[in-house]
């Protein structure tokens, strides 16, 4: 059945100065769809908060005081990590033994810093769009979550299978379970392809 | 918000209730019909159809039942249809749970916790007498139907899928990637592609229901570690495969009961509950799972549909 097109999320809080490179705003910038296209990284909608007081599932970096967090981010930004070794400490590659990471997707800002290749993200977006039969004008970006796009479990496994075929990789169920956004999928693909 | 106006009805749920429809502008009265608790090995399923619920004042009332975090989650949904689905599923869950507490607990007061794999459970207040008979629930959505299953003292998983759902990938290649060899063989034997697709969907919903009942996520019980057989003399059976003897899958158990039904000739519904009965002798075949199904418009109308054409037991 035809999928419904997605209403773009309104732009959230304004930050001083651009964090990411954005295309110069044109007279189209009033158009909500393009606003979404132009912003590389709209803040992720808050995940359903865990009732565990320990904020289980968030990266340990998010428990650091704000100043330290900012310094870490700057550091990561200066040296983008291209390959992710799943055995070393990394904030976007999920570790099998660390159950708390499996509950919720890694905070978006860290996934982007260990940047997935742009081509990977685009390819994943295409595969997702075709699997879910989304309307052409639907915007699918790195930060789109599969839940937001209306993918259920059967859609998700078909997407994973499509990604396996397109990239020549094999995705284990434990890794697949950690994927919540397109960016997560792209990160995982990059790490599997690199290995 | 105005205080809830509950009318407690002690009689067991009759087959059909209809309330006079109020004027569109008037606030809907909040009526809760208490339900009898499910028996052992019995599952109660309450479902609603989002496409039929378009009364905005009704939807606003459902939204009022949500906790702030649930409302935030609903607001985070970019698509209006998905947002409506989130609101409806939470409202369905809360109103259904409220029924089984004799309407003593307001739908808004339920709190939930997640187990370490993310499966939600009710967080019962410590002094509540209903905690002695723990209610277990599970929810499943499709775009056209949201179902909530309830069981007593048994973990439950439920999955619903549209009968006419098509896959983009070829059925057998999906099965080869995710299912077990014996399941692939049984699917390959079916020559008619439509029948094969339907069989795949039945197996899919059964496997999903098992994984959801176990509550350990997709990776806790990968589909390739257990086989479901539909046509045995003892009904639907599950067995672990050799894959499951790898370390890490010790928690996979086979003492689960399944039931598969066709809803409104449009959906397949699978329910899986823990088999906590003592009689596990080799001669005993497990008694079939009792199934009662209601179609509900919360606060407005409940219709018992099991025992009618709307619910056809497949196995």
């Amino acid at each position: 059945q035809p999928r419904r097109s997605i209403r773009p999320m309104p732009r959230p809080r304004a930050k001083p100065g651009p964090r990411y490179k954005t295309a110069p705003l044109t007279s189209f910038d009033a158009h909500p769809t393009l606003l979404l296209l132009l912003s590389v990284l709209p803040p992720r909608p808050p995940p359903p908060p865990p009732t565990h007081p320990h904020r289980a599932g968030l990266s340990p970096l998010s428990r650091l005081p704000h100043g330290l967090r900012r310094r870490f981010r700057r550091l990561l930004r200066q040296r983008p990590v291209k390959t992710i070794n799943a055995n070393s400490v990394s904030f976007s590659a999920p570790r099998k033994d660390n159950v708390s990471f499996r509950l919720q997707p890694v905070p978006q800002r860290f996934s982007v810093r260990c940047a997935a290749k742009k081509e990977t993200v685009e390819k994943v977006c295409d595969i997702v769009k075709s699997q879910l039969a989304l309307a052409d004008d639907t915007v699918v970006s790195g930060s789109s979550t599969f839940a937001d796009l209306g993918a259920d479990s059967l859609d998700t496994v078909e997407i994973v299978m499509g990604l396996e075929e397109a990239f020549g990789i094999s995705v284990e169920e434990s890794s697949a379970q950690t994927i919540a956004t397109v960016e997560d999928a792209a990160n995982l693909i990059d790490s599997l392809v690199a290995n | 918000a105005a205080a809830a106006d509950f009318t407690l009805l002690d009689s067991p749920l009759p087959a059909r209730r209809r309330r006079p429809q109020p004027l569109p502008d008037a606030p809907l009265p909040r009526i809760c019909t208490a339900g009898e608790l499910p028996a052992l090995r019995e599952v109660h399923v309450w479902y609603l159809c989002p496409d039929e619920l378009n009364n905005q004042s009704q939807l606003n009332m459902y939204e009022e039942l949500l906790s702030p975090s649930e409302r935030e989650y609903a607001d985070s949904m970019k698509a209006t249809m998905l947002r409506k689905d989130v609101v409806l599923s939470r409202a369905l869950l809360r109103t259904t749970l409220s029924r089984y507490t004799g309407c003593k607990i307001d739908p808004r007061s339920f709190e939930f916790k997640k187990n370490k794999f993310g499966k939600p459970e009710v967080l019962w207040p410590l002094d509540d007498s209903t905690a002695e008979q723990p209610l277990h629930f599970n929810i499943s959505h499709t775009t056209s139907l949201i179902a909530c299953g309830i069981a007593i003292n048994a973990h439950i998983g439920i999955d619903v899928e549209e009968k006419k759902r098509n896959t983009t990938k070829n059925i057998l290649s999906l099965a080869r990637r995710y299912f077990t060899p014996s399941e692939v063989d049984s699917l390959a034997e079916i020559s008619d592609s439509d029948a094969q697709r339907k069989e795949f969907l039945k197996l899919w919903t059964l496997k999903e229901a098992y994984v959801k009942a176990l509550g350990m996520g997709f990776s806790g019980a990968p589909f390739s570690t257990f086989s479901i057989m539909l046509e045995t003399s003892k009904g639907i059976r599950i067995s672990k495969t050799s894959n499951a003897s790898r370390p890490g899958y010790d928690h996979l158990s086979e003492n689960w009961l399944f039931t598969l039904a066709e809803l409104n000739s449009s959906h397949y519904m699978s329910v899986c509950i823990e088999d906590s009965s003592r009689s596990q002798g080799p001669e005993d075949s497990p008694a079939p799972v009792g199934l009662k199904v209601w179609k509900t418009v919360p606060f407005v109308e409940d219709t018992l549909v099991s025992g009618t054409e709307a619910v056809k037991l497949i196995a």
Side-chain angles (χ1 to χ4, degrees):
Chain A
Q1 74 212 37
R3 296 274 168 169
R4 293 164 276 238
S5 65
I6 290 175
R7 176 166 53 88
M9 203 167 81
R11 200 144 188 191
R13 57 193 195 281
K15 286 251 158 168
R19 268 203 276 167
Y20 312 100
K21 247 192 178 163
T22 55
L25 297 179
T26 66
S27 58
F28 296 113
D29 54 19
H31 194 289
T33 312
L34 271 173
L35 262 183
L36 213 59
L37 266 174
L38 295 176
S39 66
V40 172
L41 203 71
R44 199 166 64 82
T51 50
H52 196 292
H54 207 10
R55 294 211 289 163
L58 296 178
S59 154
L61 270 188
S62 60
R63 291 190 214 129
L64 289 175
H66 192 65
L68 252 175
R69 230 185 297 164
R70 230 176 324 154
R71 263 176 252 153
F72 253 107
R73 275 210 298 269
R74 232 174 280 145
L75 189 74
L76 287 169
R77 213 188 304 161
Q78 282 159 18
R79 288 183 303 180
V81 178
K82 276 183 128 183
T83 61
I84 301 164
N85 186 339
N87 293 325
S88 65
V89 175
S90 146
F91 300 109
S92 55
R95 287 172 54 161
K96 276 192 194 188
D97 53 287
N98 197 334
V99 171
S100 64
F101 284 100
R102 278 206 267 146
L103 283 184
Q104 298 192 3
V106 172
Q108 197 170 257
R109 52 186 98 113
F110 298 114
S111 314
V112 173
R113 289 305 178 287
C114 306
K117 292 190 205 135
K118 193 160 168 285
E119 314 86 69
T120 316
V121 174
E122 280 173 9
K123 210 165 164 186
V124 173
C125 288
D126 288 338
I127 291 174
V128 167
K129 265 184 118 163
S130 80
Q131 167 62 38
L132 301 179
L134 299 173
D136 281 335
D137 57 351
T138 314
V139 174
V140 180
S141 68
S143 55
S144 313
T145 67
F146 292 112
D148 274 355
L149 297 170
D152 64 9
S153 54
L154 187 49
D155 287 317
T156 309
V157 303
E158 291 197 86
I159 290 172
V160 168
M161 209 166 123
L163 297 176
E164 287 179 331
E165 287 166 1
F167 291 94
I169 51 175
S170 174
V171 179
E172 274 184 60
E173 274 85 352
S174 50
S175 316
Q177 196 167 279
T178 62
I179 296 175
T181 65
V182 169
E183 184 78 41
D184 292 340
N187 270 326
L188 182 63
I189 291 165
D190 280 347
S191 69
L192 288 171
V193 166
N195 286 348
Chain B
D5 179 20
F6 278 100
T7 308
L8 198 68
L9 296 155
D10 292 321
S11 55
L13 204 64
R16 195 183 175 94
R17 304 194 70 84
R18 197 173 186 98
R19 304 182 204 301
Q21 291 292 342
L23 301 168
D25 289 356
L28 288 167
R30 290 231 209 142
I31 299 173
C32 171
T33 45
E36 272 180 18
L37 293 174
L40 214 56
R41 279 189 178 165
E42 194 182 47
V43 171
H44 288 184
V45 177
W46 295 78
Y47 75 86
L48 52 76
C49 300
D51 298 332
E52 296 171 6
L53 299 178
N54 294 310
N55 180 328
Q56 194 53 49
S57 60
Q58 230 173 55
L59 294 172
N60 292 339
M61 195 164 72
Y62 298 150
E63 205 170 321
E64 274 178 33
L65 301 176
L66 269 51
S67 71
S69 61
E70 286 170 348
R71 218 169 307 183
E72 220 176 285
Y73 182 58
D75 290 337
S76 75
M77 290 286 151
K78 299 173 191 178
T80 36
M81 291 310 294
L82 291 177
R83 183 176 191 285
K84 183 181 170 190
D85 283 349
V86 169
V87 169
L88 285 176
S89 78
R90 300 313 295 177
L92 173 66
L93 173 61
R94 286 171 174 272
T95 51
T96 306
L97 287 172
S98 178
R99 290 176 209 273
Y100 291 100
T101 63
C103 297
K104 293 197 186 79
I105 299 186
D106 187 314
R108 280 171 297 188
S109 13
F110 286 102
E111 287 180 344
F112 301 94
K113 60 178 184 208
K114 286 191 177 173
N115 75 2
K116 64 176 185 172
F117 300 99
K119 179 172 185 187
E121 289 278 339
V122 183
L123 187 63
W124 296 103
L126 287 170
D127 54 343
D128 205 282
S129 58
T130 49
E132 292 158 9
Q133 289 238 17
L135 282 185
H136 292 268
F137 69 87
N138 198 234
I139 301 189
S140 176
H141 319 220
T142 59
T143 43
S144 47
L145 198 143
I146 304 177
C148 176
I150 299 275
I152 287 278
N153 273 328
H155 291 287
I156 176 174
I158 180 172
D159 193 48
V160 190
E161 206 56 77
E162 282 177 358
K163 253 178 75 172
K164 61 176 172 29
R165 190 204 177 116
N166 250 314
T167 57
T168 51
K169 304 266 176 268
N170 169 265
I171 295 286
L172 283 178
S173 48
L174 267 176
R176 273 187 274 266
R177 169 66 182 81
Y178 289 106
F179 285 8
T180 63
S182 62
E183 287 165 342
V184 173
D185 290 339
S186 71
L187 281 173
E189 278 168 19
I190 306 171
S191 47
D192 176 45
S193 61
D194 197 54
Q196 195 185 68
R197 182 186 57 83
K198 287 188 177 147
E199 194 68 15
F200 175 85
L201 287 175
K202 290 177 194 168
L203 281 174
W204 179 272
T205 54
L206 285 163
K207 291 171 94 88
E208 259 304 285
Y210 175 65
V211 170
K212 290 173 84 172
L214 269 183
M216 291 182 200
F218 197 48
S219 66
F223 281 9
S224 57
T225 54
F226 62 95
S227 274
I228 301 238
M229 290 152 292
L230 275 173
E231 315 269 306
T232 75
S233 53
K234 294 185 180 181
I236 303 173
R237 302 295 278 165
I238 181 174
S239 64
K240 288 158 70 163
T241 62
S242 51
N243 269 350
S245 49
R246 286 181 300 182
Y249 298 120
D250 306 319
H251 52 263
L252 282 182
S253 47
E254 294 175 353
N255 59 326
W256 295 83
L257 300 170
F258 293 86
T259 188
L260 174 66
E262 206 177 292
L263 271 184
N264 299 323
S265 307
S266 58
H267 289 82
Y268 288 131
M269 177 179 73
S270 288
V271 186
C272 173
I273 55 169
E274 206 172 358
D275 184 6
S276 44
S277 74
R278 308 266 168 82
S279 57
Q280 291 279 21
E283 300 304 323
D284 291 345
S285 57
V289 176
L291 181 68
K292 284 196 178 148
V293 185
W294 286 266
K295 177 170 175 178
T296 175
V297 178
F299 301 136
V300 176
E301 183 184 359
D302 305 319
T303 319
L304 181 69
V305 294
S306 46
T308 72
E309 274 301 296
V311 179
K312 279 184 265 189
L313 267 183
I314 300 176

